Amino acid sequence: MTISPDQNIKPTEIYDELKDSYLSYSLSVIIGRALPDVRDGLKPVHRRLLYGMKDLGLDFNKSYKKSARVVGDVMGKFHPHGDSALYEALVRMAQDFSLRYPLVDGQGNFGSVDGDPAAAMRYTEVKLSKLSSQILEDLDKETVDFIENYDGSTKEPKILPSKIPNLLLNGASGIAVGMSTNIPPHNFKEVTTSIIEQIKNPRITIDRLLEIVPGPDFPTGGIIHGSKDIIQEAYKTGRGIIKLRGVAHVEPETNRVIITEIPYQVNKSRLVEKIANLVRSEKIKGISDIRDESNRKGIRIVIDSKRGEDPNVLLNNLFTLTPLSTSFGIILLAIVNGKPKLLNLKEINQCFIDHRFEIITKRFLFELNKSKKRHHILEGFKIALDNLDKTIKIIRKSKEPSDAKKSLMKELGTTEVQALAILDLRLQRLTGMEREKIHDERKLLIRRIKEIEKILSNDDEINRIMISELEELSTNYGDHRKTRIDDRDLSAITAEDLITKEDMVVTLTHEGFIKRAALSSYRSQKRGGVGKTGATRKNDDFAETVFVASTHDYVVFFTNKGKCFWRKVHELPEASLTARGRGLTNVLNLSNEETVKAFVCVSNFDQDKFLIMTTKRGVVKKTKLEEYSRPRTNGIIAINLKSNDELISVNPSSGRDEILISTRMGKAIRFSEKKVRSVSRNSMGVKGMSLKKDDYVVSSEVIKNKNSQILTVSENGFGKRTQIEKYRLTSRGGKGVVTLKITDKTGEIVNAFQTDKDSDIILVSSIGKTTRLKASDISIIGRATQGVKLMKVNDKIKIVAVAKIADNTSE
């Protein structure tokens, strides 16, 4: 090839040319395509789609428009790439199984968790979701910079104002050149709470943030397994791998395995196909049928086990050999100040805080400038109205508008802007009422300008506004966590996985000894037999609670110090029928002077169930049961107590029950559980009952059966049963009514609890003597009475404890 001298061609080494070209290409991919910006959590394609839909007027409260219209408009104005890539991005933003909080409201077929593709863009319709309005809000208030589009014909936002921390809420994934990102989605309430805490305390540690944001929250639910150290390492360094499992259980009646949740990004139809292939290849044995019974209400994959097969072993095989158990590699990589950077949780929060601080500042600057311009015009109006006759005379004698403008500026001292505004003033604005409106508007503007200047001069004011916005967003858009977190490392089959679900009889004695024994060891007997020897009584100890639970159930213990522990039933000490069991101090990590005051047995931490806690000083706290689903070895705080208070009672509730509190001085109050709002685990609770100086609470009951009675016993051996209806329903926080007439003869109240005629009651004296009697032998009488004598005592001997004896399980 011959190069003519007039051609301006510079010789270049091919190495240098390839290096420069590849760097330009990689930078274009990294910044302009593959990685999200840390501030709004969006890649350019998503940002352009949302802005394009805003430009088309597709707000959440407007009607839908064809997806093809959106794709075409965005492709023509902002995004110089193919329509298929744009539509795929649009579809994903509408899928509730891909995004934790969808940004697009889609109408039509947008694909499924089975991997079915969305319908063609000409068949689907879209508009912005309500949440997207929070990303685009204040866009028209000069809060962000606009840049020219690819051909210079229009402008597009360089970043979106985004009131929500979208990067963590919806996550992001992308492969750039030499780097990639994989940010999981998170829970709205947890993320906003962590940001608020960081605004209040910029020196907050990542460990504290991780107490608020314990891990990802995937749209398809599932369970994250593994030690907290592994999860925390990912959020401290920006990289890590977490283990994720679907949710499955065995139906005890049918021995079927039911899968109700699958891991994030797992194709459901491929999962079913994988199980079927494993059955055909005989790698999994014991399955007779597989059915996908999923519908709009949720996922339900039914696996029938063959007769005689252990479904628990089958379930373990499914977790081991199929995508029902998978892993998620966390890479917290995003664009920061135009460069890719690996971030930790605190840095991501801080980048969002800085972004919102800048946006709020610019928003108020925009309002300030606008207000000052309007105030300037109103000042001109004021000059004209104060000199109304002169103003009219100047305008009437002027030949041209330009002459009038110059005369107004010269004779009244107005600016050119004010003079033009006065000339544009309509005659109706000169009436008394309209003149008053102008004066009022001027006063309001002056006041607003001072408010804005005060806000802009104080960073704390801007932070306060930021916090209030986040709290409002959390209230409006926050929801319950979908993905549960289990501290156990289940990378391999654990000991519990190999434990067959079996009903156990758990016995807890009055003095705090606990044991479990297989229900099958309590063989059935004919009516009229002598029964079977149970736990040997020692030092007059007796079985206060006996219940049947599965080996995989949880027993949640609560101590007087307000701490919570739980153990699986199979973790409790196993003992023979005649054995006493082990002390709770050997089972739980209790501190000195800490005793177990209550416990709850649950098969799962149901989101719809609550716990009602009552303290000695009359404080009542209502918290969702799920709040106590992640205890530590040394326990967790169940309720914050004052120094002179202690927890005395914990009862499960449905949220629609009633509460009855009884005190030492013979007072009782009954009120609806709805009067106590649900609060978080670390809260202190609210006043349940007003107490006198020397009085304190001795018991608290959640009333589920209004046909039962309240048994009240005093220290001098008096007692009675009273119908619950005799305690009138009042508001929370009152002084209560008389539950037993206190005199020197009766002494003060020892205990008061629900009972029925078939219950056995035991009274324990201060010298260890016990009396056992039937509840049916105790009279049912009114509230304000002394009761009847239940046990003989004297001045030196008092009743110190009253309890309902648990029925012995002899079947």
Side-chain angles (χ1 to χ4, degrees):
M1 176 179 175
T2 305
I3 301 174
S4 59
D6 58 326
Q7 287 180 300
N8 189 16
I9 297 176
K10 181 181 178 182
T12 306
E13 291 288 336
I14 190 169
Y15 170 82
D16 295 331
E17 179 63 27
L18 288 173
K19 180 181 176 182
D20 293 342
S21 298
Y22 191 75
L23 284 173
S24 299
Y25 163 74
S26 62
L27 186 64
S28 174
V29 172
I30 291 168
I31 304 298
R33 190 185 304 175
L35 300 182
D37 194 290
V38 71
R39 294 169 291 180
D40 62 7
L42 298 171
K43 299 178 186 180
V45 62
H46 302 115
R47 190 177 301 118
R48 288 164 179 166
L49 280 167
L50 294 180
Y51 177 68
M53 292 173 73
K54 175 75 172 177
D55 199 38
L56 283 170
L58 296 180
D59 294 319
F60 71 93
N61 53 358
K62 302 291 179 62
S63 59
Y64 295 89
K65 283 190 179 179
K66 291 269 189 182
S67 300
R69 171 74 183 277
V70 174
V71 171
D73 201 65
V74 172
M75 186 170 61
K77 287 183 178 179
F78 311 116
H79 200 66
H81 298 284
D83 58 344
S84 60
L86 270 169
Y87 186 52
E88 286 175 9
L90 183 67
V91 165
R92 190 175 185 277
M93 286 197 290
Q95 293 174 335
D96 59 2
F97 54 87
S98 293
L99 265 65
R100 182 65 175 81
Y101 302 95
L103 302 179
V104 171
D105 184 358
Q107 185 169 264
N109 175 17
F110 280 83
S112 72
V113 74
D114 286 317
D116 300 319
M121 68 178 81
R122 62 182 177 275
Y123 297 121
T124 60
E125 296 180 328
V126 292
K127 64 179 179 179
L128 292 168
S129 70
K130 192 173 182 180
L131 185 63
S132 292
S133 63
Q134 305 300 330
I135 296 178
L136 295 158
E137 191 172 316
D138 299 329
L139 195 59
D140 56 347
K141 295 181 180 178
E142 299 178 1
T143 53
V144 297
D145 295 331
F146 278 72
I147 56 175
E148 288 189 348
N149 68 335
Y150 64 90
D151 63 359
S153 60
T154 186
K155 289 186 178 292
E156 61 176 305
K158 191 175 181 181
I159 199 75
L160 295 181
S162 191
K163 290 174 73 174
I164 66 169
N166 185 57
L167 184 68
L168 285 176
L169 294 184
N170 280 320
S173 62
I175 300 173
V177 178
M179 61 186 68
S180 63
T181 186
N182 202 27
I183 304 172
H186 295 79
N187 183 268
F188 206 115
K189 286 184 178 179
E190 293 174 353
V191 172
T192 51
T193 302
S194 73
I195 293 172
I196 290 170
E197 289 296 315
Q198 190 163 329
I199 295 171
K200 293 178 179 178
N201 177 21
R203 294 184 178 180
I204 192 170
T205 63
I206 297 181
D207 288 330
R208 172 58 187 143
L209 290 175
L210 288 170
E211 291 178 9
I212 304 170
V213 185
D217 188 19
F218 298 104
T220 54
I223 302 175
I224 296 173
H225 285 289
S227 66
K228 286 188 176 179
D229 293 339
I230 296 174
I231 300 174
Q232 290 177 354
E233 188 67 21
Y235 286 95
K236 289 179 179 179
T237 63
R239 288 182 181 273
I241 298 176
I242 59 174
K243 301 294 182 181
L244 183 64
R245 278 189 168 186
V247 174
H249 68 275
V250 177
E251 282 187 347
E253 303 86 5
T254 61
N255 275 353
R256 290 173 176 169
V257 174
I258 311 295
I259 300 172
T260 55
E261 294 175 19
I262 61 175
Y264 184 53
Q265 294 177 334
V266 168
N267 186 308
K268 178 163 64 68
S269 62
R270 290 182 183 173
L271 173 62
V272 174
E273 184 181 347
K274 175 70 173 178
I275 297 172
N277 290 335
L278 289 170
V279 172
R280 278 194 292 268
S281 63
E282 296 187 352
K283 290 184 178 179
I284 292 182
K285 298 180 181 180
I287 294 179
S288 62
D289 190 24
I290 306 171
R291 296 185 306 281
D292 187 356
E293 298 179 357
S294 305
N295 53 33
R296 292 182 179 180
K297 294 181 180 180
I299 291 173
R300 180 180 168 88
I301 301 172
V302 180
I303 300 172
D304 291 332
S305 59
K306 294 179 180 178
R307 182 176 297 179
E309 294 289 339
D310 187 350
N312 293 291
V313 175
L314 176 60
L315 186 56
N316 291 334
N317 285 326
L318 292 174
F319 281 130
T320 305
L321 302 174
T322 73
L324 194 58
S325 181
T326 184
S327 60
F328 187 95
I330 296 177
I331 307 174
L332 305 179
L333 184 74
I335 302 297
V336 182
N337 297 325
K339 297 179 182 179
K341 184 180 180 182
L342 194 65
L343 304 162
N344 60 37
L345 179 59
K346 185 176 180 179
E347 289 171 335
I348 293 175
N349 281 355
Q350 191 59 50
C351 288
F352 177 77
I353 292 169
D354 294 342
H355 173 61
R356 283 305 299 165
F357 190 94
E358 181 182 352
I359 295 298
I360 293 171
T361 302
K362 288 183 176 180
R363 185 178 75 200
F364 279 111
L365 283 172
F366 174 81
E367 186 183 351
L368 180 63
N369 293 332
K370 191 175 179 181
S371 298
K372 284 184 174 179
K373 288 178 181 178
R374 179 61 181 166
H375 177 259
H376 183 65
I377 291 173
L378 291 175
E379 284 293 327
F381 287 169
K382 182 177 183 300
I383 294 171
L385 293 173
D386 289 343
N387 302 275
L388 185 57
D389 294 337
K390 187 175 181 180
T391 302
I392 295 172
K393 185 177 179 181
I394 291 171
I395 295 172
R396 289 184 63 184
K397 73 178 183 179
S398 301
K399 293 182 179 181
E400 299 288 339
S402 59
D403 296 336
K405 181 187 73 173
K406 292 177 182 177
S407 298
L408 288 171
M409 293 171 63
K410 182 178 180 181
E411 296 186 32
L412 295 182
T414 63
T415 64
E416 184 177 356
V417 173
Q418 289 173 331
L420 290 172
I422 292 168
L423 291 174
D424 289 337
L425 196 66
R426 298 174 66 182
L427 290 175
Q428 71 175 29
R429 301 299 301 272
L430 301 180
T431 61
M433 187 175 293
E434 289 295 321
R435 290 167 64 182
E436 188 66 27
K437 286 182 179 178
I438 291 173
H439 284 298
D440 290 344
E441 184 184 357
R442 176 177 169 274
K443 289 177 183 177
L444 288 173
L445 267 177
I446 292 172
R447 190 183 307 159
R448 181 58 181 163
I449 287 170
K450 288 181 180 179
E451 288 176 359
I452 296 172
E453 288 176 339
K454 181 182 178 182
I455 291 171
L456 290 172
S457 64
N458 189 348
D459 290 354
D460 291 338
E461 283 294 313
I462 296 177
N463 287 335
R464 182 183 58 78
I465 292 169
M466 197 188 315
I467 289 172
S468 66
E469 288 179 351
L470 287 169
E471 289 175 339
E472 183 181 358
L473 288 169
S474 180
T475 301
N476 293 336
Y477 299 100
D479 57 2
H480 293 295
R481 167 174 277 275
K482 291 186 176 182
T483 302
R484 281 153 285 174
I485 297 178
D486 193 326
D487 295 342
R488 295 171 300 164
D489 185 4
L490 295 184
S491 56
I493 295 175
T494 64
E496 182 175 315
D497 293 327
L498 300 176
I499 295 173
T500 303
K501 281 193 176 182
E502 182 183 5
D503 285 340
M504 307 295 290
V505 177
V506 180
T507 305
L508 184 64
T509 74
H510 181 71
E511 293 187 0
F513 286 81
I514 194 168
K515 72 169 184 178
R516 66 181 172 95
L519 180 61
S520 57
S521 62
Y522 293 81
R523 61 179 175 83
S524 179
Q525 295 183 346
K526 292 182 179 181
R527 182 175 58 85
V530 297
K532 209 170 186 180
T533 304
T536 303
R537 288 181 58 176
K538 185 176 180 181
N539 298 330
D540 293 315
D541 196 8
F542 58 91
E544 190 170 84
T545 304
V546 176
F547 60 91
V548 178
S550 167
T551 49
H552 288 203
D553 286 349
Y554 302 89
V555 183
V556 189
F557 299 91
F558 298 87
T559 73
N560 59 325
K561 300 295 184 182
K563 291 184 72 176
C564 165
F565 301 82
W566 64 243
R567 293 288 183 270
K568 287 274 192 164
V569 170
H570 71 78
E571 294 175 339
L572 299 177
E574 189 171 10
S576 66
L577 297 182
T578 58
R580 193 183 187 195
R582 291 177 63 190
L584 278 170
T585 53
N586 298 318
V587 178
L588 307 174
N589 293 331
L590 301 176
S591 60
N592 293 333
E593 300 180 357
E594 190 172 19
T595 59
V596 172
K597 300 297 289 186
F599 72 92
V600 177
C601 181
V602 295
S603 58
N604 58 67
F605 291 88
D606 195 334
Q607 294 182 357
D608 297 328
K609 291 186 178 179
F610 299 87
L611 291 178
I612 303 294
M613 302 181 190
T614 310
T615 74
K616 193 173 182 179
R617 304 309 307 165
V619 174
V620 175
K621 178 183 172 185
K622 176 181 176 182
T623 307
K624 286 204 168 187
L625 177 61
E626 63 174 328
E627 293 272 348
Y628 302 93
S629 61
R630 297 191 298 273
R632 305 179 187 92
T633 305
N634 293 323
I636 57 174
I637 295 173
I639 180 173
N640 269 320
L641 297 171
K642 292 184 178 179
S643 57
N644 63 338
D645 204 358
E646 66 179 52
L647 183 65
I648 65 160
S649 171
V650 180
N651 292 293
S653 77
S654 64
R656 302 176 298 277
D657 299 322
E658 295 173 356
I659 301 170
L660 189 140
I661 301 174
S662 303
T663 76
R664 180 80 173 171
M665 303 300 292
K667 291 285 189 175
I669 187 171
R670 174 186 167 208
F671 55 88
S672 172
E673 179 189 341
K674 294 179 181 178
K675 300 289 185 181
V676 184
R677 65 182 180 89
S678 179
V679 295
S680 65
R681 180 174 58 80
N682 288 321
S683 300
M684 296 182 68
V686 295
K687 181 183 286 188
M689 187 176 185
S690 296
L691 304 175
K692 292 183 179 179
K693 185 177 180 181
D694 298 327
D695 202 3
Y696 59 84
V697 173
V698 294
S699 73
S700 177
E701 295 283 292
V702 170
I703 308 298
K704 298 180 182 293
N705 179 11
K706 295 181 183 179
N707 294 323
S708 59
Q709 302 92 38
I710 297 297
L711 172 64
T712 308
V713 180
S714 71
E715 61 183 354
N716 288 345
F718 284 81
K720 63 172 181 176
R721 286 187 294 153
T722 305
Q723 294 290 354
I724 288 173
E725 62 187 20
K726 298 295 183 182
Y727 298 86
R728 58 186 173 87
L729 206 60
T730 63
S731 296
R732 172 181 62 80
K735 295 181 179 179
V737 296
V738 175
T739 186
L740 189 145
K741 189 175 180 181
I742 300 296
T743 64
D744 293 338
K745 180 181 177 181
T746 63
E748 296 173 340
I749 304 299
V750 175
N751 202 351
F753 51 83
Q754 287 183 88
T755 185
D756 53 58
K757 63 180 182 178
D758 297 324
S759 300
D760 278 9
I761 309 300
I762 192 163
L763 287 75
V764 183
S765 73
S766 54
I767 60 172
K769 293 289 186 179
T770 61
T771 296
R772 179 172 178 166
L773 46 95
K774 286 279 187 184
S776 56
D777 295 336
I778 303 172
S779 302
I780 298 178
I781 52 181
R783 281 190 301 100
T785 57
Q786 292 184 1
V788 296
K789 195 73 171 179
L790 304 182
M791 184 177 178
K792 290 184 179 181
V793 295
N794 53 43
D795 293 340
K796 296 181 180 180
I797 303 172
K798 302 292 183 183
I799 302 295
V800 293
V802 185
K804 182 165 54 177
I805 298 180
D807 295 332
N808 288 324
T809 305
S810 57
E811 296 181 351

